[in-house]
Amino acid sequence: MEYIEAKELLENSVRCVAMAMEQIRHRMIDYVMERNEPMQDHLAECSWAIHPYEGSTMKDCLDYLRHLHDGLTKAAEHDREVNTKGLYTNDVALIADMLRGFICTKYPDYLLECARDVSAEARLLLLAYGRKKRSEDNRKQMLTEFMTKVKALAEKHGVDLQNSRGQFSLPLAYLHDWMNRKYDETFDFD
């Protein structure tokens, strides 16, 4: 084998691995889509907008793989922490991540307390609205009540929702969409 062939084989192999991992990353995003927005966003952002293709340079592929490895390492640390602390119950880890606006690898006590309180409030509201007629007006009313309670609980626990000037708040958007899905799951409209 000539040096040129060996070099091309190495470059093509790295490019092939990068393109395969890009497909795996897309499947992972599809799996969490509309179920776990903080993880979805983490997986979408961890490649740093580098997308390997047949013409990618060796440097671009290696950069992509390094960024993806860092992102998957953080996702694995997150999963380990959630499993170790048993935070899947009542969506506590998911709510804590939504309150933060990104996935966590360490959860401070005040954040977990807030997440547990938000989870409890969500269950109470879903039970209360389960006794009412299913309608878009009731959905909107429930979401408004929920968001008001989330803001109060965040303030009580010292959680910054990044909404100090009335600007867009990613944590509030995550929580709004999550509760909206919970409403649909609970009442399963015909």
Side-chain angles (χ1 to χ4, degrees):
M1 180 177 284
E2 303 252 342
Y3 297 120
I4 292 172
E5 291 171 325
K7 175 188 166 287
E8 287 177 3
L9 179 62
L10 175 62
E11 289 173 353
N12 286 333
S13 297
V14 170
R15 193 175 298 117
C16 183
V17 167
M19 291 187 319
M21 289 308 301
E22 177 65 359
Q23 291 306 307
I24 290 169
R25 184 180 73 89
H26 279 282
R27 285 192 182 100
M28 293 172 81
I29 291 170
D30 289 345
Y31 178 74
V32 296
M33 190 176 292
E34 295 182 1
R35 294 185 337 180
N36 186 338
E37 285 91 347
M39 183 60 77
Q40 176 186 330
D41 288 350
H42 173 74
L43 293 170
E45 294 169 354
C46 71
S47 69
W48 288 58
I50 301 171
H51 302 285
Y53 65 101
E54 293 83 7
S56 292
T57 66
M58 177 86 159
K59 180 188 179 313
D60 285 346
C61 289
L62 290 172
D63 285 347
Y64 167 82
L65 290 170
R66 184 173 39 82
H67 290 301
L68 182 61
H69 182 263
D70 292 346
L72 292 177
T73 298
K74 184 172 182 180
E77 289 171 4
H78 170 270
D79 205 40
R80 193 174 310 112
E81 177 79 359
V82 170
N83 284 322
T84 301
K85 291 189 174 179
L87 300 176
Y88 280 117
T89 305
N90 296 325
D91 290 329
V92 171
L94 176 58
I95 294 169
D97 291 341
M98 290 187 293
L99 286 165
R100 241 332 131 76
F102 53 86
I103 65 168
C104 300
T105 55
K106 300 284 184 220
Y107 292 94
D109 290 339
Y110 74 91
L111 183 63
L112 291 178
E113 290 170 18
C114 185
R116 286 182 181 104
D117 287 353
V118 168
S119 176
E121 286 295 336
R123 286 193 313 272
L124 289 173
L125 280 170
L126 289 169
L127 283 171
Y129 278 83
R131 296 181 187 106
K132 296 182 179 188
K133 179 183 176 197
R134 293 184 257 182
S135 70
E136 284 305 308
D137 287 339
N138 283 337
R139 174 197 304 266
K140 289 175 187 173
Q141 184 179 357
M142 185 214 48
L143 286 169
T144 300
E145 283 182 49
F146 177 69
M147 298 310 292
T148 300
K149 289 177 189 259
V150 165
K151 290 174 189 175
L153 288 169
E155 187 174 326
K156 172 185 168 189
H157 291 285
V159 175
D160 180 14
L161 295 175
Q162 306 162 6
N163 194 26
S164 58
R165 294 187 195 145
Q167 298 168 338
F168 176 78
S169 168
L170 186 58
L172 290 176
Y174 284 158
L175 288 158
H176 178 277
D177 290 351
W178 173 78
M179 189 62 165
N180 195 38
R181 278 194 309 275
K182 287 291 187 186
Y183 185 82
D184 286 341
E185 291 168 8
T186 301
F187 299 114
D188 193 24
F189 282 96
D190 299 323

